[in-house]
Amino acid sequence: MDPSSSTLAELYHENSKQRRYDRGFGWRVAAVGNSPAFQRLTRRPGKRYGGAREIALPRPEPLDARLHEAIAARRSARRFSEESLTLPEVASLLLMSAGLPDEPGGSGRTTFRAAPSAGGLHPTEIYLVVRAVDGLAPGVYHYRANDHVLETLLLDPAASRRLADASSYPEKLESAAVTLVLTAVFGRTVLKYGERAYRFVVLEIGHVAQNVLLVAAALGCGAIPIGGFVDDEVHAILDVDGVDEASFYLLPVGRVGPGDPPEWREGQDAVAAVMARLWAAGPGPSGEDAATPG
Ligand SMILES: Cc1cc2nc3c(=O)[nH]c(=O)nc-3n(C[C@H](O)[C@H](O)[C@H](O)COP(=O)(O)O)c2cc1C
């Protein structure tokens, strides 16, 4: 492979492949994973903000919806009503997506969480940017999954507006009752899995995000996964460095509103018209004229 002609994605993927005769990877995983010091260090992974005001979350009632119904009902919500969410709803969203739903008195496995994680290292962190949740002042919170509590990071009614502005879709975020921001702390997974860790981190964020979307559907709420945002503006709102810990997803959640705003639909129509013109005029993806019947 000529490295100069490769995309960054190809280079990364090639360099993080597990190969049958590459003993180094297996030895690393075994040596690190079996180390008592590593096991002690990673028994209950997760950030803790010392000194932050803590808000205990209720243990939510079991969700009513069947899995079939939640999957069938999930749709990306494009617009939300102005209504607030309740604290038990937010507790459900968090516990059933990334928390320890089996505790207390469950399996006894202290790291058993709602989403799987390579090596049980759980690099994902969840922050909440609250606009309208009963019992929570607007601002920024961190979900400490191990204890099912929120840690108050910043009380600021403007935080949700700032987050909306940091996204490529302010009109979608601005009316959400709460936006969950999923980040990853890379070091937790890199220590054991080296270059392969980045793959695992991204996969794991997806597991947690899908749980959020299905729980939102089960609660009768709307949600949408947003990957388009100005990374470092989001990091500034969360006060994370964007290097050791970085954001991957914004997940606005709220009661479902009256549908796409007309200006958004008009924007989509305008983009579609431009694409159609370009498509008709230029060469197609295979290098042939797209207008040539194929
Ligand atoms: C990785 C990922 C990133 C996405 N980012 C955005 C986004 O930035 N803005 C947006 O409007 N929708 C975003 N979406 C939502 C998709 O547009 C949506 O899932 C798609 O249109 C299919 O519709 P559905 O979710 O209702 O099935 C994203 C979805 C995924 C999986």
Side-chain angles (χ1 to χ4, degrees), residues 74-78 168-169 172 224-229 249 264:
R74 187 212 62 79
R75 289 281 177 285
S76 290
R78 308 270 170 213
S168 316
Y169 307 92
K172 287 181 202 161
I224 180 170
I226 301 268
F229 53 86
Y249 244 160
W264 191 81

Side-chain angles (χ1 to χ4, degrees), residues 185-219:
V185 177
F186 298 109
R188 281 182 211 149
T189 305
V190 168
L191 197 56
K192 185 170 178 183
Y193 296 109
E195 298 296 358
R196 211 164 169 80
Y198 196 81
R199 296 182 183 219
F200 292 168
V201 161
V202 179
L203 292 169
E204 290 179 32
I205 292 269
H207 288 301
V208 173
Q210 183 70 3
N211 281 349
V212 171
L213 300 175
L214 292 181
V215 175
L219 292 169

